Amino acid sequence: MTEKITRINPEQLHETPGYHHITVVEAGRTAYLAGQCPLDRNGDLVGAGSLETQVDQVVANALTALAAADAQPQHVVRSVIYVRSDEREILGAAWARLTESALGPAFTTASTLLGVAQLGFTGQLVEVDLTVALPD
Protein backbone atom coordinates (compact mmCIF):
# COMPACT_ATOMS: atom_id res chain seq x y z
CA MET A 1 0.00 0.00 0.00
CA THR A 2 2.93 2.38 0.53
CA GLU A 3 3.15 2.89 -3.26
CA LYS A 4 -0.48 4.05 -3.21
CA ILE A 5 0.23 6.91 -0.81
CA THR A 6 1.17 10.24 -2.39
CA ARG A 7 2.23 13.22 -0.29
CA ILE A 8 2.03 16.68 -1.86
CA ASN A 9 3.19 20.19 -0.95
CA PRO A 10 1.83 22.64 -3.56
CA GLU A 11 4.33 25.37 -4.41
CA GLN A 12 1.64 27.98 -3.74
CA LEU A 13 1.43 26.98 -0.04
CA HIS A 14 3.94 27.71 2.73
CA GLU A 15 6.85 25.38 3.41
CA THR A 16 6.36 22.93 6.27
CA PRO A 17 8.67 21.62 8.99
CA GLY A 18 8.54 18.08 7.62
CA TYR A 19 4.86 17.29 7.10
CA HIS A 20 2.89 17.52 3.83
CA HIS A 21 -0.19 19.64 3.18
CA ILE A 22 -1.94 16.85 1.27
CA THR A 23 -1.86 13.06 1.49
CA VAL A 24 -3.68 11.12 -1.22
CA VAL A 25 -4.45 7.43 -0.66
CA GLU A 26 -5.67 5.13 -3.41
CA ALA A 27 -8.55 2.82 -2.45
CA GLY A 28 -7.67 0.28 0.19
CA ARG A 29 -8.13 -0.64 3.83
CA THR A 30 -7.82 2.05 6.50
CA ALA A 31 -7.23 1.84 10.25
CA TYR A 32 -8.20 4.60 12.67
CA LEU A 33 -6.18 4.38 15.87
CA ALA A 34 -7.70 5.69 19.07
CA GLY A 35 -5.77 8.58 20.56
CA GLN A 36 -2.56 7.10 21.92
CA CYS A 37 -2.02 8.29 25.50
CA PRO A 38 1.00 8.09 27.83
CA LEU A 39 -0.44 5.12 29.73
CA ASP A 40 1.31 1.87 30.57
CA ARG A 41 -0.23 -1.56 30.08
CA ASN A 42 -2.03 -1.25 33.43
CA GLY A 43 -3.63 2.05 32.38
CA ASP A 44 -1.43 4.13 34.68
CA LEU A 45 -0.11 7.51 33.54
CA VAL A 46 3.63 7.43 32.80
CA GLY A 47 5.95 10.38 33.36
CA ALA A 48 3.85 12.81 35.36
CA GLY A 49 5.16 16.30 34.64
CA SER A 50 7.60 15.12 31.94
CA LEU A 51 6.65 15.86 28.34
CA GLU A 52 9.63 13.85 27.07
CA THR A 53 8.73 10.72 29.05
CA GLN A 54 5.09 10.99 28.03
CA VAL A 55 5.98 11.42 24.35
CA ASP A 56 8.21 8.34 24.57
CA GLN A 57 5.32 6.30 26.04
CA VAL A 58 2.93 7.56 23.36
CA VAL A 59 5.47 6.54 20.70
CA ALA A 60 5.81 3.06 22.22
CA ASN A 61 2.03 2.66 22.41
CA ALA A 62 1.51 3.89 18.84
CA LEU A 63 4.16 1.51 17.50
CA THR A 64 2.44 -1.37 19.32
CA ALA A 65 -0.96 -0.37 17.87
CA LEU A 66 0.49 -0.05 14.36
CA ALA A 67 2.13 -3.47 14.61
CA ALA A 68 -1.18 -4.99 15.74
CA ALA A 69 -2.69 -3.71 12.48
CA ASP A 70 0.31 -5.02 10.46
CA ALA A 71 1.34 -1.44 9.70
CA GLN A 72 4.41 0.74 10.18
CA PRO A 73 4.90 4.49 10.70
CA GLN A 74 5.26 5.15 6.95
CA HIS A 75 1.70 3.85 6.46
CA VAL A 76 0.25 6.71 8.53
CA VAL A 77 -1.65 9.15 6.31
CA ARG A 78 -2.95 11.61 8.92
CA SER A 79 -1.87 12.59 12.39
CA VAL A 80 -3.23 14.95 15.01
CA ILE A 81 -1.00 15.75 17.98
CA TYR A 82 -2.52 17.25 21.11
CA VAL A 83 -0.22 18.93 23.62
CA ARG A 84 -1.47 20.40 26.89
CA SER A 85 0.11 23.81 26.49
CA ASP A 86 -0.30 27.10 24.70
CA GLU A 87 3.46 27.78 24.63
CA ARG A 88 5.01 27.53 21.18
CA GLU A 89 8.30 26.26 22.64
CA ILE A 90 6.59 23.32 24.34
CA LEU A 91 4.57 22.49 21.22
CA GLY A 92 7.80 22.59 19.21
CA ALA A 93 9.55 20.33 21.72
CA ALA A 94 6.76 17.75 21.43
CA TRP A 95 6.92 17.92 17.62
CA ALA A 96 10.70 17.51 17.61
CA ARG A 97 10.65 14.55 20.01
CA LEU A 98 7.95 12.82 17.95
CA THR A 99 9.58 13.43 14.56
CA GLU A 100 12.98 12.26 15.84
CA SER A 101 11.53 9.05 17.32
CA ALA A 102 10.99 5.64 15.72
CA LEU A 103 7.47 6.89 14.94
CA GLY A 104 8.92 9.88 13.04
CA PRO A 105 7.91 8.78 9.50
CA ALA A 106 4.27 9.02 10.60
CA PHE A 107 4.60 12.79 10.80
CA THR A 108 5.78 13.38 7.23
CA THR A 109 2.16 13.08 6.14
CA ALA A 110 -0.80 15.42 6.61
CA SER A 111 -0.40 16.50 10.23
CA THR A 112 -1.90 18.89 12.75
CA LEU A 113 -0.31 20.03 16.03
CA LEU A 114 -2.68 21.52 18.61
CA GLY A 115 -2.15 23.15 21.97
CA VAL A 116 -5.08 22.30 24.23
CA ALA A 117 -6.24 23.24 27.73
CA GLN A 118 -6.96 19.70 28.97
CA LEU A 119 -6.62 16.05 27.95
CA GLY A 120 -8.51 13.01 29.21
CA PHE A 121 -6.31 11.89 32.11
CA THR A 122 -5.15 13.95 35.07
CA GLY A 123 -1.54 14.97 34.39
CA GLN A 124 -1.65 13.95 30.71
CA LEU A 125 0.46 16.27 28.55
CA VAL A 126 0.29 14.66 25.08
CA GLU A 127 -1.90 12.46 22.88
CA VAL A 128 -1.50 11.34 19.26
CA ASP A 129 -4.32 10.37 16.90
CA LEU A 130 -3.31 8.40 13.76
CA THR A 131 -5.08 7.33 10.56
CA VAL A 132 -3.35 4.52 8.66
CA ALA A 133 -3.55 3.24 5.07
CA LEU A 134 -3.01 -0.45 5.69
CA PRO A 135 -0.57 -2.30 3.46
CA ASP A 136 -1.97 -5.00 1.16
Side-chain angles (χ1 to χ4, degrees):
M1 180 57 133
T2 304
E3 315 80 51
K4 297 179 182 178
I5 300 171
T6 306
R7 294 172 175 91
I8 304 168
N9 276 329
E11 291 181 20
Q12 300 86 348
L13 295 177
H14 66 85
E15 289 188 32
T16 68
Y19 66 90
H20 287 78
H21 286 285
I22 303 163
T23 302
V24 177
V25 180
E26 300 300 322
R29 295 179 328 130
T30 306
Y32 302 89
L33 276 59
Q36 296 301 297
C37 301
L39 304 178
D40 64 17
R41 186 176 181 157
N42 297 321
D44 296 323
L45 183 76
V46 172
S50 172
L51 180 64
E52 295 82 9
T53 302
Q54 289 195 13
V55 167
D56 293 348
Q57 184 67 48
V58 165
V59 166
N61 292 350
L63 291 170
T64 298
L66 287 170
D70 292 323
Q72 298 177 11
Q74 66 267 24
H75 298 123
V76 171
V77 295
R78 175 87 174 116
S79 67
V80 181
I81 304 152
Y82 304 91
V83 180
R84 189 171 168 231
S85 179
D86 64 355
E87 294 182 33
R88 191 172 181 91
E89 182 177 299
I90 293 172
L91 296 172
W95 175 260
R97 187 126 183 138
L98 286 165
T99 59
E100 294 167 4
S101 75
L103 189 60
F107 305 106
T108 64
T109 194
S111 201
T112 300
L113 173 64
L114 299 169
V116 297
Q118 186 65 44
L119 289 165
F121 296 94
T122 301
Q124 181 181 355
L125 302 175
V126 63
E127 185 165 331
V128 174
D129 179 8
L130 302 173
T131 303
V132 184
L134 294 172
D136 294 330

